[in-house]
Amino acid sequence: MAGLQYSDVLIPDADLRKRFADEFDRSGYSQLNMFGLAGARAAYLYGEPWLDALLKYLEGNRDYIASFIAEKLPRVKFTPCEGTYLAWLDFREFGLS
C-alpha cells in the first residue's frame, strides 16, 4: 500500500491523534488518491489469502536467515523481525569501525 500512498493509522490517545492529524495536514500529504483507496478496498475485501501466503513466506525467510547466521556466522547477532520484514544483523563483535 505504501506505493499507493495509502495507510491506516490508529491512535487511541485523542491528544496524540490531534497532533498527528495537524502535522499530517501541514505536510501536504493529506489527500488520498483513487488508486490508494481502490487498493485498500481490494486488500481488505480480498487480500486475506495473499496475506496468509505472504506471512508464511516471510516466516520461512526469517527462519532461514536465523539458521544461516547461527551456523555460518555465529559471532553475528540476529534480531528477530518485529513489525517488519527487515532483518537486523549486529556485527559489533568483529570490532569494525
Side-chain angles (χ1 to χ4, degrees), residues 17-96:
R17 186 172 53 250
K18 176 160 180 14
R19 289 189 351 230
F20 176 87
D22 291 345
E23 186 62 34
F24 192 71
D25 289 341
R26 280 192 294 275
S27 74
Y29 287 105
S30 60
Q31 302 302 312
L32 298 174
N33 67 63
M34 66 179 192
F35 298 110
L37 290 172
R41 184 172 190 275
Y44 281 118
L45 291 176
Y46 312 110
E48 189 171 5
W50 171 86
L51 179 60
D52 291 342
L54 173 67
L55 292 174
K56 185 174 182 172
Y57 179 83
L58 293 174
E59 182 180 332
N61 284 349
R62 182 206 57 214
D63 293 347
Y64 173 77
I65 291 169
S67 64
F68 181 89
I69 294 297
E71 180 184 330
K72 306 285 187 187
L73 299 166
R75 292 173 55 195
V76 174
K77 303 296 180 249
F78 169 67
T79 301
C81 310
E82 292 183 16
T84 180
Y85 52 83
L86 299 176
W88 298 103
L89 305 177
D90 181 349
F91 287 83
R92 282 182 279 193
E93 228 180 274
F94 288 88
L96 303 171

